[in-house]
Each structure stands twice: as structure tokens, then as C-alpha cells.
Amino acid sequence: SCTVSDGKNLYYAFEMMGVRMGIMKYNTKTGKKSEVYSYKIGKNKKGSNGFSQLSVDKKYIYATWDRYYGTDATKEYVYRIAKDGKSAKKLALGRDPQLIDGRIYYLALKSKSEDGMNYSEDTGTVMSMKTDGTDKKKVAQIANSGDAYRYSLFQSEGNVFLAWIIRGGSLKTNPRLFIVFCPLSPLSASGCENGLLHEKGGNQAG
């Protein structure tokens, strides 16, 4: 779930606990609410798990769109959607897009097929690209990303951060979770402690 503002409208989406919706718009002056883009896919209106991690600029909304339907997997892409809802463009196989200084930072994914099911899986790679999906560049590689319970990108005051939730013991006998915040500057991946993140080129950050 996520809410963003362009100064005139609030844009939001929610997908949790069995509830799914498209990207919605709320005019803060008139109080009018409308759907910008549906979570249902194509002419057959096939369901999806909906949208999350919204960002917005003058013309477009950027979001993670999980085009899988169900709770047993995900199939996430970074999408650019026109504010008038007339177009949607797939930019990358990935999630958690963060718009900073005209570039999108995101977590790259890879496609997997197993038991007749197609889904996406984390790679531990942080990427950036232009807002049209071109000029993709590797920003950082997360060391031992398979040991993480979950990691996500978010932004605050114009900076991109990686939130890393790691297991601190056996989940059965001694479940503990630690959250590590790693700042990512526009040009490198620095400031992350304990070797959790490696800069492009293989040098350990922190």
C-alpha cells in the first residue's frame, strides 16, 4: 500500500489481506475520488495482486505492479502509468521503484518457472534507470541476499535507502529480526554496515 501527492491530487493503492484495487486518485480540493488504472489485466479482466510503492512526477505514476493473482507467489514489474490512465508501460522486471533526480532506483528480479507456475524472485541487485526504462545501470549488489527475511527500497528527503530485515537466529527456536538501513547515494552504495551491501565493482561498502 502507498499514498503519494503531486500537490493537487493524492494517488494511492492498497493490496493486502485479500483486498485489491487499482491506482486511485483523490482530488484534495473537490474531494472527488476516481480510479486511474485498474488492477485487472487485459480484455478478459484477469485479476492481479495490484499496485504498491508509488512515485509520481508531472506526467506519470511509477509503481510496482504484481501481476500474479494469489498469495503463493509474486510476479512484480516496475510500471509507468499516465496520470490520465490512458497508457501503461512496463519498464523492468523489479519492485520498489523510487524516483530521485529523474532516475528510478529499484530492486531487480528474475523470472522463475516451477510446477507450471511462473513467478518472480529477488536477485539482490539494486538498479537504476531513466524514467522511460532505458539506460539501466547496476548500483549495488546485496551480499548474501538469500539470508534476508525481506529487503525493500524507500526514500526520505531525496535519498534512497535500503531497509534490510535479517534473521538473527533460528526461526523455530529463537526468532529474532534486525533491521539495517543502508543509504544509497546517486553514484554509489556507501554507508551500509556489516558487509551487507557491496558497491558495483566488488568493493565492500561501509
Side-chain angles (χ1 to χ4, degrees):
S1 58
C2 185
T3 302
V4 294
S5 174
D6 62 3
K8 179 181 178 181
N9 299 298
L10 294 177
Y11 299 89
Y12 62 95
F14 186 87
E15 45 92 23
M16 193 178 295
M17 298 181 293
V19 177
R20 296 170 178 84
M21 65 168 62
I23 296 177
M24 305 297 294
K25 178 175 69 175
Y26 176 81
N27 188 299
T28 56
K29 185 176 181 179
T30 66
K32 183 180 179 181
K33 182 172 64 175
S34 59
E35 184 179 67
V36 176
Y37 206 82
S38 174
Y39 74 96
K40 296 181 179 179
I41 302 171
K43 295 181 179 179
N44 295 329
K45 301 295 183 180
K46 179 183 176 182
S48 74
N49 284 337
F51 300 91
S52 62
Q53 291 285 350
L54 274 58
S55 297
V56 66
D57 63 16
K58 292 182 179 180
K59 293 183 178 181
Y60 299 102
I61 303 163
Y62 305 89
T64 300
W65 187 359
D66 183 358
R67 291 169 67 91
Y68 193 85
Y69 187 73
T71 59
D72 54 340
T74 58
K75 196 172 184 179
E76 296 170 305
Y77 299 90
V78 177
Y79 263 79
R80 184 183 75 178
I81 297 161
K83 284 184 175 180
D84 60 9
K86 293 182 178 180
S87 66
K89 180 180 180 180
K90 185 191 300 180
L91 300 182
L93 180 61
R95 62 179 176 88
D96 296 3
Q98 305 297 327
L99 181 62
I100 298 287
D101 295 331
R103 291 190 70 84
I104 298 170
Y105 292 78
Y106 66 100
L107 294 171
L109 305 177
K110 61 183 177 181
S111 294
K112 295 278 288 186
S113 295
E114 187 176 335
D115 298 328
M117 184 172 62
N118 296 315
Y119 59 96
S120 57
E121 188 176 84
D122 283 312
T123 64
T125 305
V126 182
M127 300 286 292
S128 76
M129 62 183 170
K130 291 183 178 179
T131 55
D132 62 357
T134 61
D135 191 34
K136 290 182 173 67
K137 295 180 179 180
K138 184 176 180 179
V139 176
Q141 181 67 39
I142 304 168
N144 302 318
S145 61
D147 295 335
Y149 175 74
R150 176 72 173 178
Y151 50 92
S152 300
L153 287 184
F154 70 99
Q155 63 173 292
S156 178
E157 298 181 354
N159 295 306
V160 181
F161 292 85
L162 175 76
W164 176 285
I165 305 175
I166 56 175
R167 298 184 177 99
S170 170
L171 290 179
K172 292 183 178 180
T173 60
N174 186 24
R176 292 178 293 160
L177 295 178
F178 299 91
I179 301 178
V180 179
F181 296 101
C182 307
L184 302 177
S185 71
L187 297 179
S188 67
S190 60
C192 188
E193 299 178 353
N194 302 322
L196 293 178
L197 196 68
H198 288 266
E199 296 185 33
K200 181 180 178 182
N203 298 319
Q204 181 170 316

